[in-house]
Amino acid sequence: DAGVTQSPTHLIKTRGQQVTLRCSPISGHKSVSWYQQVLGQGPQFIFQYYEKEERGRGNFPDRFSARQFPNYSSELNVNALLLGDSALYLCASSPIPPSYEQYFGPGTRLTVT
Amino acid sequence: AQTVTQSQPEMSVQEAETVTLSCTYDTSESNYYLFWYKQPPSRQMILVIRQEAYKQQNATENRFSVNFQKAAKSFSLKISDSQLGDTAMYFCAFMKHGFSNTGNQFYFGTGTSLTVIP
């Protein structure tokens, strides 16, 4: 079975632009979480979605938004990009939450210039 | 709020030797999970080992074992017979048991970069 997939792998954007990152969970998993990992730091929680509803939000500004689709895939959107948004964005999928089983994707490396 | 602290930014170990990575955490929860994740260079994060807080017995997975001290809020990872493939960033993580209004999220430490020397 395929693991968690994310696209694109790498992305370069300019300050002020908008970006959309995509995640497909493991087949049968219904929850998706997003994390931001700045270079040299541990991942920081951004959102969790389950059954197309937001179930949790970390300490991130409203420029960050996400949604989950009927097939349980998810998109993370970031508006008005700042240099500080440069990071590895990780998606993790899990079965019906709450679950300690979270499987991470390879991430999308976003560089803002 | 939950916090996870890894006080060793970098460590190295000779191949076939044993190394211990440290992690402390702070929480007021009584039921939770603790994890060690491995993130090899340019590769995705994978689970190394998991410990349920209500279990007194320390978890083991082949060459990996933990020393879980609940009262001290300490959760260290021991890697025995270190191999070159163990070279990676290691993250300690905490998750509350059950639902919360802030989501079913991990709280990660800042990581320890481990290098296994041939």
PDB file of all heavy atoms in Angstrom, chain B residues 29-64:
ATOM      1  N   GLU B  29      -0.947  16.277  32.185  1.00  0.00           N
ATOM      2  CA  GLU B  29      -1.766  15.130  31.837  1.00  0.00           C
ATOM      3  C   GLU B  29      -1.252  13.884  32.560  1.00  0.00           C
ATOM      4  O   GLU B  29      -0.060  13.770  32.859  1.00  0.00           O
ATOM      5  CB  GLU B  29      -1.707  14.888  30.323  1.00  0.00           C
ATOM      6  CG  GLU B  29      -2.180  16.065  29.487  1.00  0.00           C
ATOM      7  CD  GLU B  29      -3.676  16.266  29.558  1.00  0.00           C
ATOM      8  OE1 GLU B  29      -4.396  15.260  29.735  1.00  0.00           O
ATOM      9  OE2 GLU B  29      -4.124  17.420  29.416  1.00  0.00           O
ATOM     10  N   SER B  30      -2.159  12.971  32.814  1.00  0.00           N
ATOM     11  CA  SER B  30      -1.764  11.718  33.446  1.00  0.00           C
ATOM     12  C   SER B  30      -1.714  10.569  32.448  1.00  0.00           C
ATOM     13  O   SER B  30      -1.039   9.567  32.672  1.00  0.00           O
ATOM     14  CB  SER B  30      -2.737  11.353  34.573  1.00  0.00           C
ATOM     15  OG  SER B  30      -4.055  11.232  34.054  1.00  0.00           O
ATOM     16  N   ASN B  31      -2.398  10.720  31.331  1.00  0.00           N
ATOM     17  CA  ASN B  31      -2.434   9.665  30.331  1.00  0.00           C
ATOM     18  C   ASN B  31      -2.003  10.236  28.988  1.00  0.00           C
ATOM     19  O   ASN B  31      -2.633  11.171  28.484  1.00  0.00           O
ATOM     20  CB  ASN B  31      -3.842   9.070  30.234  1.00  0.00           C
ATOM     21  CG  ASN B  31      -3.820   7.696  29.623  1.00  0.00           C
ATOM     22  OD1 ASN B  31      -2.751   7.146  29.337  1.00  0.00           O
ATOM     23  ND2 ASN B  31      -4.985   7.130  29.409  1.00  0.00           N
ATOM     24  N   TYR B  32      -0.940   9.677  28.430  1.00  0.00           N
ATOM     25  CA  TYR B  32      -0.378  10.229  27.203  1.00  0.00           C
ATOM     26  C   TYR B  32       0.541   9.205  26.565  1.00  0.00           C
ATOM     27  O   TYR B  32       0.752   8.114  27.103  1.00  0.00           O
ATOM     28  CB  TYR B  32       0.393  11.524  27.495  1.00  0.00           C
ATOM     29  CG  TYR B  32       1.373  11.426  28.644  1.00  0.00           C
ATOM     30  CD1 TYR B  32       2.675  10.986  28.441  1.00  0.00           C
ATOM     31  CD2 TYR B  32       0.996  11.798  29.931  1.00  0.00           C
ATOM     32  CE1 TYR B  32       3.564  10.895  29.501  1.00  0.00           C
ATOM     33  CE2 TYR B  32       1.885  11.714  30.988  1.00  0.00           C
ATOM     34  CZ  TYR B  32       3.164  11.262  30.773  1.00  0.00           C
ATOM     35  OH  TYR B  32       4.051  11.179  31.819  1.00  0.00           O
ATOM     36  N   TYR B  33       1.028   9.565  25.394  1.00  0.00           N
ATOM     37  CA  TYR B  33       1.975   8.718  24.668  1.00  0.00           C
ATOM     38  C   TYR B  33       3.265   9.505  24.453  1.00  0.00           C
ATOM     39  O   TYR B  33       3.253  10.719  24.294  1.00  0.00           O
ATOM     40  CB  TYR B  33       1.424   8.327  23.295  1.00  0.00           C
ATOM     41  CG  TYR B  33       0.109   7.593  23.327  1.00  0.00           C
ATOM     42  CD1 TYR B  33      -1.084   8.269  23.092  1.00  0.00           C
ATOM     43  CD2 TYR B  33       0.057   6.228  23.558  1.00  0.00           C
ATOM     44  CE1 TYR B  33      -2.297   7.608  23.107  1.00  0.00           C
ATOM     45  CE2 TYR B  33      -1.155   5.558  23.570  1.00  0.00           C
ATOM     46  CZ  TYR B  33      -2.325   6.248  23.345  1.00  0.00           C
ATOM     47  OH  TYR B  33      -3.520   5.587  23.351  1.00  0.00           O
ATOM     48  N   LEU B  34       4.347   8.776  24.402  1.00  0.00           N
ATOM     49  CA  LEU B  34       5.653   9.348  24.075  1.00  0.00           C
ATOM     50  C   LEU B  34       6.245   8.568  22.911  1.00  0.00           C
ATOM     51  O   LEU B  34       6.044   7.353  22.803  1.00  0.00           O
ATOM     52  CB  LEU B  34       6.593   9.291  25.278  1.00  0.00           C
ATOM     53  CG  LEU B  34       6.190  10.164  26.465  1.00  0.00           C
ATOM     54  CD1 LEU B  34       6.947   9.746  27.708  1.00  0.00           C
ATOM     55  CD2 LEU B  34       6.419  11.629  26.164  1.00  0.00           C
ATOM     56  N   PHE B  35       6.972   9.271  22.064  1.00  0.00           N
ATOM     57  CA  PHE B  35       7.497   8.675  20.842  1.00  0.00           C
ATOM     58  C   PHE B  35       8.932   9.138  20.605  1.00  0.00           C
ATOM     59  O   PHE B  35       9.334  10.224  21.018  1.00  0.00           O
ATOM     60  CB  PHE B  35       6.679   9.127  19.610  1.00  0.00           C
ATOM     61  CG  PHE B  35       5.198   8.929  19.712  1.00  0.00           C
ATOM     62  CD1 PHE B  35       4.416   9.846  20.395  1.00  0.00           C
ATOM     63  CD2 PHE B  35       4.582   7.849  19.094  1.00  0.00           C
ATOM     64  CE1 PHE B  35       3.037   9.686  20.483  1.00  0.00           C
ATOM     65  CE2 PHE B  35       3.205   7.700  19.173  1.00  0.00           C
ATOM     66  CZ  PHE B  35       2.447   8.607  19.863  1.00  0.00           C
ATOM     67  N   TRP B  36       9.651   8.310  19.899  1.00  0.00           N
ATOM     68  CA  TRP B  36      10.894   8.718  19.255  1.00  0.00           C
ATOM     69  C   TRP B  36      10.715   8.507  17.755  1.00  0.00           C
ATOM     70  O   TRP B  36      10.349   7.404  17.312  1.00  0.00           O
ATOM     71  CB  TRP B  36      12.094   7.916  19.748  1.00  0.00           C
ATOM     72  CG  TRP B  36      12.619   8.407  21.061  1.00  0.00           C
ATOM     73  CD1 TRP B  36      12.354   7.898  22.299  1.00  0.00           C
ATOM     74  CD2 TRP B  36      13.520   9.495  21.267  1.00  0.00           C
ATOM     75  NE1 TRP B  36      13.021   8.607  23.260  1.00  0.00           N
ATOM     76  CE2 TRP B  36      13.748   9.588  22.651  1.00  0.00           C
ATOM     77  CE3 TRP B  36      14.168  10.396  20.407  1.00  0.00           C
ATOM     78  CZ2 TRP B  36      14.586  10.554  23.208  1.00  0.00           C
ATOM     79  CZ3 TRP B  36      14.997  11.346  20.957  1.00  0.00           C
ATOM     80  CH2 TRP B  36      15.205  11.414  22.351  1.00  0.00           C
ATOM     81  N   TYR B  37      10.946   9.590  17.008  1.00  0.00           N
ATOM     82  CA  TYR B  37      10.895   9.544  15.558  1.00  0.00           C
ATOM     83  C   TYR B  37      12.307   9.775  15.023  1.00  0.00           C
ATOM     84  O   TYR B  37      13.094  10.531  15.587  1.00  0.00           O
ATOM     85  CB  TYR B  37       9.964  10.610  14.999  1.00  0.00           C
ATOM     86  CG  TYR B  37       8.516  10.194  14.928  1.00  0.00           C
ATOM     87  CD1 TYR B  37       7.681  10.348  16.023  1.00  0.00           C
ATOM     88  CD2 TYR B  37       7.991   9.633  13.768  1.00  0.00           C
ATOM     89  CE1 TYR B  37       6.356   9.961  15.960  1.00  0.00           C
ATOM     90  CE2 TYR B  37       6.661   9.244  13.703  1.00  0.00           C
ATOM     91  CZ  TYR B  37       5.848   9.405  14.794  1.00  0.00           C
ATOM     92  OH  TYR B  37       4.539   9.016  14.734  1.00  0.00           O
ATOM     93  N   LYS B  38      12.582   9.149  13.892  1.00  0.00           N
ATOM     94  CA  LYS B  38      13.854   9.279  13.197  1.00  0.00           C
ATOM     95  C   LYS B  38      13.616   9.962  11.861  1.00  0.00           C
ATOM     96  O   LYS B  38      12.680   9.599  11.136  1.00  0.00           O
ATOM     97  CB  LYS B  38      14.446   7.878  12.988  1.00  0.00           C
ATOM     98  CG  LYS B  38      15.626   7.786  12.058  1.00  0.00           C
ATOM     99  CD  LYS B  38      16.006   6.311  11.876  1.00  0.00           C
ATOM    100  CE  LYS B  38      17.121   6.139  10.878  1.00  0.00           C
ATOM    101  NZ  LYS B  38      17.471   4.701  10.689  1.00  0.00           N
ATOM    102  N   GLN B  39      14.441  10.966  11.562  1.00  0.00           N
ATOM    103  CA  GLN B  39      14.343  11.660  10.279  1.00  0.00           C
ATOM    104  C   GLN B  39      15.709  11.648   9.610  1.00  0.00           C
ATOM    105  O   GLN B  39      16.551  12.498   9.877  1.00  0.00           O
ATOM    106  CB  GLN B  39      13.834  13.102  10.474  1.00  0.00           C
ATOM    107  CG  GLN B  39      13.499  13.817   9.182  1.00  0.00           C
ATOM    108  CD  GLN B  39      12.924  15.200   9.452  1.00  0.00           C
ATOM    109  OE1 GLN B  39      13.389  15.932  10.314  1.00  0.00           O
ATOM    110  NE2 GLN B  39      11.877  15.563   8.700  1.00  0.00           N
ATOM    111  N   PRO B  40      15.945  10.673   8.729  1.00  0.00           N
ATOM    112  CA  PRO B  40      17.227  10.623   8.010  1.00  0.00           C
ATOM    113  C   PRO B  40      17.369  11.852   7.103  1.00  0.00           C
ATOM    114  O   PRO B  40      16.360  12.472   6.760  1.00  0.00           O
ATOM    115  CB  PRO B  40      17.134   9.337   7.192  1.00  0.00           C
ATOM    116  CG  PRO B  40      16.036   8.546   7.837  1.00  0.00           C
ATOM    117  CD  PRO B  40      15.084   9.551   8.388  1.00  0.00           C
ATOM    118  N   PRO B  41      18.574  12.172   6.690  1.00  0.00           N
ATOM    119  CA  PRO B  41      18.766  13.336   5.822  1.00  0.00           C
ATOM    120  C   PRO B  41      17.913  13.253   4.564  1.00  0.00           C
ATOM    121  O   PRO B  41      17.944  12.261   3.841  1.00  0.00           O
ATOM    122  CB  PRO B  41      20.265  13.288   5.493  1.00  0.00           C
ATOM    123  CG  PRO B  41      20.870  12.532   6.622  1.00  0.00           C
ATOM    124  CD  PRO B  41      19.838  11.538   7.051  1.00  0.00           C
ATOM    125  N   SER B  42      17.133  14.273   4.325  1.00  0.00           N
ATOM    126  CA  SER B  42      16.308  14.376   3.121  1.00  0.00           C
ATOM    127  C   SER B  42      15.322  13.220   2.969  1.00  0.00           C
ATOM    128  O   SER B  42      14.919  12.882   1.854  1.00  0.00           O
ATOM    129  CB  SER B  42      17.179  14.467   1.872  1.00  0.00           C
ATOM    130  OG  SER B  42      18.014  15.592   1.953  1.00  0.00           O
ATOM    131  N   ARG B  43      14.954  12.624   4.085  1.00  0.00           N
ATOM    132  CA  ARG B  43      13.980  11.544   4.008  1.00  0.00           C
ATOM    133  C   ARG B  43      12.877  11.755   5.041  1.00  0.00           C
ATOM    134  O   ARG B  43      13.000  12.574   5.931  1.00  0.00           O
ATOM    135  CB  ARG B  43      14.649  10.189   4.217  1.00  0.00           C
ATOM    136  CG  ARG B  43      15.591   9.804   3.079  1.00  0.00           C
ATOM    137  CD  ARG B  43      16.237   8.474   3.333  1.00  0.00           C
ATOM    138  NE  ARG B  43      15.241   7.404   3.405  1.00  0.00           N
ATOM    139  CZ  ARG B  43      15.548   6.155   3.721  1.00  0.00           C
ATOM    140  NH1 ARG B  43      16.793   5.822   4.000  1.00  0.00           N
ATOM    141  NH2 ARG B  43      14.608   5.233   3.772  1.00  0.00           N
ATOM    142  N   GLN B  44      11.801  11.002   4.902  1.00  0.00           N
ATOM    143  CA  GLN B  44      10.663  11.288   5.749  1.00  0.00           C
ATOM    144  C   GLN B  44      10.811  10.726   7.143  1.00  0.00           C
ATOM    145  O   GLN B  44      11.611   9.837   7.403  1.00  0.00           O
ATOM    146  CB  GLN B  44       9.382  10.780   5.092  1.00  0.00           C
ATOM    147  CG  GLN B  44       9.275   9.274   4.974  1.00  0.00           C
ATOM    148  CD  GLN B  44       8.149   8.931   4.003  1.00  0.00           C
ATOM    149  OE1 GLN B  44       8.337   8.946   2.797  1.00  0.00           O
ATOM    150  NE2 GLN B  44       6.993   8.626   4.547  1.00  0.00           N
ATOM    151  N   MET B  45      10.027  11.269   8.028  1.00  0.00           N
ATOM    152  CA  MET B  45      10.061  10.907   9.435  1.00  0.00           C
ATOM    153  C   MET B  45       9.401   9.548   9.645  1.00  0.00           C
ATOM    154  O   MET B  45       8.298   9.304   9.147  1.00  0.00           O
ATOM    155  CB  MET B  45       9.334  11.972  10.250  1.00  0.00           C
ATOM    156  CG  MET B  45       9.623  11.919  11.707  1.00  0.00           C
ATOM    157  SD  MET B  45       9.005  13.349  12.588  1.00  0.00           S
ATOM    158  CE  MET B  45       9.773  14.669  11.719  1.00  0.00           C
ATOM    159  N   ILE B  46      10.083   8.685  10.379  1.00  0.00           N
ATOM    160  CA  ILE B  46       9.530   7.367  10.653  1.00  0.00           C
ATOM    161  C   ILE B  46       9.566   7.095  12.152  1.00  0.00           C
ATOM    162  O   ILE B  46      10.450   7.562  12.875  1.00  0.00           O
ATOM    163  CB  ILE B  46      10.287   6.258   9.886  1.00  0.00           C
ATOM    164  CG1 ILE B  46      11.777   6.264  10.234  1.00  0.00           C
ATOM    165  CG2 ILE B  46      10.085   6.391   8.400  1.00  0.00           C
ATOM    166  CD1 ILE B  46      12.537   5.133   9.597  1.00  0.00           C
ATOM    167  N   LEU B  47       8.593   6.331  12.608  1.00  0.00           N
ATOM    168  CA  LEU B  47       8.493   6.000  14.022  1.00  0.00           C
ATOM    169  C   LEU B  47       9.562   4.986  14.411  1.00  0.00           C
ATOM    170  O   LEU B  47       9.742   3.976  13.738  1.00  0.00           O
ATOM    171  CB  LEU B  47       7.104   5.426  14.319  1.00  0.00           C
ATOM    172  CG  LEU B  47       6.851   4.975  15.759  1.00  0.00           C
ATOM    173  CD1 LEU B  47       6.861   6.168  16.700  1.00  0.00           C
ATOM    174  CD2 LEU B  47       5.520   4.227  15.845  1.00  0.00           C
ATOM    175  N   VAL B  48      10.249   5.273  15.506  1.00  0.00           N
ATOM    176  CA  VAL B  48      11.244   4.348  16.036  1.00  0.00           C
ATOM    177  C   VAL B  48      10.634   3.502  17.135  1.00  0.00           C
ATOM    178  O   VAL B  48      10.724   2.265  17.136  1.00  0.00           O
ATOM    179  CB  VAL B  48      12.474   5.110  16.585  1.00  0.00           C
ATOM    180  CG1 VAL B  48      13.441   4.152  17.271  1.00  0.00           C
ATOM    181  CG2 VAL B  48      13.163   5.883  15.462  1.00  0.00           C
ATOM    182  N   ILE B  49       9.976   4.165  18.089  1.00  0.00           N
ATOM    183  CA  ILE B  49       9.442   3.450  19.236  1.00  0.00           C
ATOM    184  C   ILE B  49       8.387   4.311  19.921  1.00  0.00           C
ATOM    185  O   ILE B  49       8.416   5.540  19.823  1.00  0.00           O
ATOM    186  CB  ILE B  49      10.599   3.095  20.213  1.00  0.00           C
ATOM    187  CG1 ILE B  49      10.219   1.982  21.176  1.00  0.00           C
ATOM    188  CG2 ILE B  49      11.113   4.332  20.931  1.00  0.00           C
ATOM    189  CD1 ILE B  49      11.415   1.371  21.891  1.00  0.00           C
ATOM    190  N   ARG B  50       7.438   3.651  20.558  1.00  0.00           N
ATOM    191  CA  ARG B  50       6.337   4.332  21.237  1.00  0.00           C
ATOM    192  C   ARG B  50       6.177   3.768  22.646  1.00  0.00           C
ATOM    193  O   ARG B  50       6.353   2.582  22.870  1.00  0.00           O
ATOM    194  CB  ARG B  50       5.043   4.122  20.458  1.00  0.00           C
ATOM    195  CG  ARG B  50       3.817   4.774  21.079  1.00  0.00           C
ATOM    196  CD  ARG B  50       2.556   4.455  20.297  1.00  0.00           C
ATOM    197  NE  ARG B  50       2.224   3.043  20.343  1.00  0.00           N
ATOM    198  CZ  ARG B  50       2.206   2.255  19.262  1.00  0.00           C
ATOM    199  NH1 ARG B  50       2.493   2.740  18.086  1.00  0.00           N
ATOM    200  NH2 ARG B  50       1.868   0.987  19.385  1.00  0.00           N
ATOM    201  N   GLN B  51       5.796   4.662  23.571  1.00  0.00           N
ATOM    202  CA  GLN B  51       5.568   4.264  24.965  1.00  0.00           C
ATOM    203  C   GLN B  51       4.247   4.834  25.440  1.00  0.00           C
ATOM    204  O   GLN B  51       3.999   6.034  25.294  1.00  0.00           O
ATOM    205  CB  GLN B  51       6.699   4.798  25.864  1.00  0.00           C
ATOM    206  CG  GLN B  51       6.512   4.576  27.349  1.00  0.00           C
ATOM    207  CD  GLN B  51       6.897   3.176  27.788  1.00  0.00           C
ATOM    208  OE1 GLN B  51       7.888   2.623  27.347  1.00  0.00           O
ATOM    209  NE2 GLN B  51       6.112   2.603  28.683  1.00  0.00           N
ATOM    210  N   GLU B  52       3.368   3.985  25.987  1.00  0.00           N
ATOM    211  CA  GLU B  52       2.147   4.476  26.605  1.00  0.00           C
ATOM    212  C   GLU B  52       2.451   4.816  28.069  1.00  0.00           C
ATOM    213  O   GLU B  52       3.066   4.019  28.774  1.00  0.00           O
ATOM    214  CB  GLU B  52       1.048   3.415  26.544  1.00  0.00           C
ATOM    215  CG  GLU B  52       0.478   3.190  25.167  1.00  0.00           C
ATOM    216  CD  GLU B  52       1.224   2.139  24.359  1.00  0.00           C
ATOM    217  OE1 GLU B  52       2.345   1.768  24.756  1.00  0.00           O
ATOM    218  OE2 GLU B  52       0.689   1.690  23.337  1.00  0.00           O
ATOM    219  N   ALA B  53       1.994   5.954  28.523  1.00  0.00           N
ATOM    220  CA  ALA B  53       2.354   6.423  29.863  1.00  0.00           C
ATOM    221  C   ALA B  53       1.815   5.521  30.966  1.00  0.00           C
ATOM    222  O   ALA B  53       2.400   5.441  32.054  1.00  0.00           O
ATOM    223  CB  ALA B  53       1.862   7.844  30.070  1.00  0.00           C
ATOM    224  N   TYR B  54       0.714   4.809  30.685  1.00  0.00           N
ATOM    225  CA  TYR B  54       0.129   3.985  31.739  1.00  0.00           C
ATOM    226  C   TYR B  54       0.868   2.659  31.900  1.00  0.00           C
ATOM    227  O   TYR B  54       0.632   1.915  32.845  1.00  0.00           O
ATOM    228  CB  TYR B  54      -1.350   3.716  31.456  1.00  0.00           C
ATOM    229  CG  TYR B  54      -1.627   2.898  30.215  1.00  0.00           C
ATOM    230  CD1 TYR B  54      -1.653   1.509  30.278  1.00  0.00           C
ATOM    231  CD2 TYR B  54      -1.878   3.505  29.001  1.00  0.00           C
ATOM    232  CE1 TYR B  54      -1.916   0.749  29.155  1.00  0.00           C
ATOM    233  CE2 TYR B  54      -2.139   2.759  27.870  1.00  0.00           C
ATOM    234  CZ  TYR B  54      -2.155   1.379  27.945  1.00  0.00           C
ATOM    235  OH  TYR B  54      -2.406   0.641  26.822  1.00  0.00           O
ATOM    236  N   LYS B  55       1.770   2.357  30.970  1.00  0.00           N
ATOM    237  CA  LYS B  55       2.549   1.122  31.051  1.00  0.00           C
ATOM    238  C   LYS B  55       3.861   1.392  31.783  1.00  0.00           C
ATOM    239  O   LYS B  55       4.621   2.278  31.408  1.00  0.00           O
ATOM    240  CB  LYS B  55       2.837   0.574  29.658  1.00  0.00           C
ATOM    241  CG  LYS B  55       1.606   0.045  28.936  1.00  0.00           C
ATOM    242  CD  LYS B  55       1.998  -0.600  27.619  1.00  0.00           C
ATOM    243  CE  LYS B  55       0.781  -1.195  26.919  1.00  0.00           C
ATOM    244  NZ  LYS B  55       1.131  -1.818  25.620  1.00  0.00           N
ATOM    245  N   GLN B  56       4.120   0.627  32.809  1.00  0.00           N
ATOM    246  CA  GLN B  56       5.365   0.802  33.556  1.00  0.00           C
ATOM    247  C   GLN B  56       6.546   0.172  32.835  1.00  0.00           C
ATOM    248  O   GLN B  56       7.682   0.629  32.979  1.00  0.00           O
ATOM    249  CB  GLN B  56       5.217   0.206  34.948  1.00  0.00           C
ATOM    250  CG  GLN B  56       4.247   0.965  35.839  1.00  0.00           C
ATOM    251  CD  GLN B  56       4.242   0.426  37.249  1.00  0.00           C
ATOM    252  OE1 GLN B  56       4.537  -0.744  37.471  1.00  0.00           O
ATOM    253  NE2 GLN B  56       3.905   1.271  38.205  1.00  0.00           N
ATOM    254  N   GLN B  57       6.277  -0.866  32.053  1.00  0.00           N
ATOM    255  CA  GLN B  57       7.362  -1.558  31.365  1.00  0.00           C
ATOM    256  C   GLN B  57       7.883  -0.711  30.227  1.00  0.00           C
ATOM    257  O   GLN B  57       7.114  -0.171  29.421  1.00  0.00           O
ATOM    258  CB  GLN B  57       6.875  -2.904  30.833  1.00  0.00           C
ATOM    259  CG  GLN B  57       7.971  -3.745  30.221  1.00  0.00           C
ATOM    260  CD  GLN B  57       7.496  -5.141  29.845  1.00  0.00           C
ATOM    261  OE1 GLN B  57       6.310  -5.447  29.948  1.00  0.00           O
ATOM    262  NE2 GLN B  57       8.422  -5.985  29.427  1.00  0.00           N
ATOM    263  N   ASN B  58       9.206  -0.603  30.145  1.00  0.00           N
ATOM    264  CA  ASN B  58       9.828   0.171  29.086  1.00  0.00           C
ATOM    265  C   ASN B  58       9.689  -0.535  27.742  1.00  0.00           C
ATOM    266  O   ASN B  58       9.878  -1.752  27.643  1.00  0.00           O
ATOM    267  CB  ASN B  58      11.309   0.394  29.387  1.00  0.00           C
ATOM    268  CG  ASN B  58      11.521   1.359  30.527  1.00  0.00           C
ATOM    269  OD1 ASN B  58      10.781   2.327  30.684  1.00  0.00           O
ATOM    270  ND2 ASN B  58      12.523   1.098  31.335  1.00  0.00           N
ATOM    271  N   ALA B  59       9.371   0.248  26.708  1.00  0.00           N
ATOM    272  CA  ALA B  59       9.215  -0.318  25.369  1.00  0.00           C
ATOM    273  C   ALA B  59      10.569  -0.677  24.758  1.00  0.00           C
ATOM    274  O   ALA B  59      11.580  -0.010  25.023  1.00  0.00           O
ATOM    275  CB  ALA B  59       8.493   0.683  24.469  1.00  0.00           C
ATOM    276  N   THR B  60      10.565  -1.718  23.945  1.00  0.00           N
ATOM    277  CA  THR B  60      11.764  -2.108  23.202  1.00  0.00           C
ATOM    278  C   THR B  60      11.371  -2.489  21.791  1.00  0.00           C
ATOM    279  O   THR B  60      10.274  -3.036  21.561  1.00  0.00           O
ATOM    280  CB  THR B  60      12.495  -3.300  23.858  1.00  0.00           C
ATOM    281  OG1 THR B  60      11.606  -4.433  23.860  1.00  0.00           O
ATOM    282  CG2 THR B  60      12.909  -2.984  25.282  1.00  0.00           C
ATOM    283  N   GLU B  61      12.237  -2.174  20.845  1.00  0.00           N
ATOM    284  CA  GLU B  61      12.061  -2.547  19.441  1.00  0.00           C
ATOM    285  C   GLU B  61      13.432  -2.903  18.896  1.00  0.00           C
ATOM    286  O   GLU B  61      14.203  -2.045  18.489  1.00  0.00           O
ATOM    287  CB  GLU B  61      11.461  -1.395  18.631  1.00  0.00           C
ATOM    288  CG  GLU B  61       9.997  -1.145  18.822  1.00  0.00           C
ATOM    289  CD  GLU B  61       9.106  -2.220  18.200  1.00  0.00           C
ATOM    290  OE1 GLU B  61       9.583  -2.969  17.314  1.00  0.00           O
ATOM    291  OE2 GLU B  61       7.934  -2.297  18.600  1.00  0.00           O
ATOM    292  N   ASN B  62      13.732  -4.204  18.930  1.00  0.00           N
ATOM    293  CA  ASN B  62      15.026  -4.682  18.424  1.00  0.00           C
ATOM    294  C   ASN B  62      16.178  -3.958  19.135  1.00  0.00           C
ATOM    295  O   ASN B  62      16.323  -4.088  20.351  1.00  0.00           O
ATOM    296  CB  ASN B  62      15.088  -4.499  16.907  1.00  0.00           C
ATOM    297  CG  ASN B  62      13.988  -5.254  16.200  1.00  0.00           C
ATOM    298  OD1 ASN B  62      13.728  -6.421  16.501  1.00  0.00           O
ATOM    299  ND2 ASN B  62      13.302  -4.589  15.270  1.00  0.00           N
ATOM    300  N   ARG B  63      16.970  -3.159  18.416  1.00  0.00           N
ATOM    301  CA  ARG B  63      18.141  -2.499  19.022  1.00  0.00           C
ATOM    302  C   ARG B  63      17.776  -1.226  19.786  1.00  0.00           C
ATOM    303  O   ARG B  63      18.651  -0.590  20.394  1.00  0.00           O
ATOM    304  CB  ARG B  63      19.151  -2.156  17.929  1.00  0.00           C
ATOM    305  CG  ARG B  63      19.685  -3.356  17.165  1.00  0.00           C
ATOM    306  CD  ARG B  63      20.743  -2.935  16.137  1.00  0.00           C
ATOM    307  NE  ARG B  63      20.174  -2.115  15.062  1.00  0.00           N
ATOM    308  CZ  ARG B  63      20.374  -0.818  14.942  1.00  0.00           C
ATOM    309  NH1 ARG B  63      21.135  -0.160  15.811  1.00  0.00           N
ATOM    310  NH2 ARG B  63      19.839  -0.148  13.930  1.00  0.00           N
ATOM    311  N   PHE B  64      16.513  -0.841  19.731  1.00  0.00           N
ATOM    312  CA  PHE B  64      16.071   0.407  20.339  1.00  0.00           C
ATOM    313  C   PHE B  64      15.273   0.115  21.610  1.00  0.00           C
ATOM    314  O   PHE B  64      14.382  -0.736  21.603  1.00  0.00           O
ATOM    315  CB  PHE B  64      15.207   1.191  19.354  1.00  0.00           C
ATOM    316  CG  PHE B  64      15.908   1.558  18.078  1.00  0.00           C
ATOM    317  CD1 PHE B  64      15.907   0.699  16.983  1.00  0.00           C
ATOM    318  CD2 PHE B  64      16.590   2.758  17.970  1.00  0.00           C
ATOM    319  CE1 PHE B  64      16.559   1.036  15.811  1.00  0.00           C
ATOM    320  CE2 PHE B  64      17.242   3.108  16.801  1.00  0.00           C
ATOM    321  CZ  PHE B  64      17.228   2.243  15.717  1.00  0.00           C
TER     322      PHE B  64
END
